[in-house]
Amino acid sequence: MDHFGFVLGILFLVVVVPMWIRHHYRHRTETRRALNAEDERALDDLRALAERMENRVQTLERILDAESPGWRNKLS
């Protein structure tokens, strides 16, 4: 009976534990990739927002240049 428990323990360590470890780390890697993809989408959204804001600032500067040519000197 002692040998049976020993054999079961060895089988558990050789078969079950490696499968559990492989599943655990595969899940962590997939989660990390998903987070990275979400981070990339968020950065893309921020880049698009920054580009729109830059375009608006340039438009406002053109309007101010046309309406009040010396506005830049007044800021200094």
Side-chain angles (χ1 to χ4, degrees):
M1 196 68 165
D2 267 341
H3 296 293
F4 182 71
F6 179 75
V7 170
L8 281 179
I10 295 297
L11 282 174
F12 180 79
L13 290 173
V14 171
V15 176
V16 176
V17 171
M19 288 174 29
W20 178 80
I21 290 173
R22 188 172 25 244
H23 171 75
H24 173 73
Y25 283 105
R26 185 179 323 151
H27 180 70
R28 280 184 56 182
T29 303
E30 289 171 358
T31 302
R32 188 171 292 131
R33 281 190 197 131
L35 289 176
N36 288 340
E38 288 176 16
D39 292 343
E40 286 297 323
R41 281 192 296 273
L43 283 175
D44 288 342
D45 291 344
L46 286 174
R47 287 183 189 113
L49 177 63
E51 187 174 331
R52 287 194 314 266
M53 291 175 70
E54 179 66 27
N55 289 339
R56 288 178 182 172
V57 167
Q58 289 173 356
T59 300
L60 289 172
E61 287 178 344
R62 281 195 303 272
I63 292 170
L64 283 170
D65 286 339
E67 296 285 324
S68 178
W71 72 272
R72 292 180 195 262
N73 294 334
K74 292 178 187 176
L75 294 176
S76 301

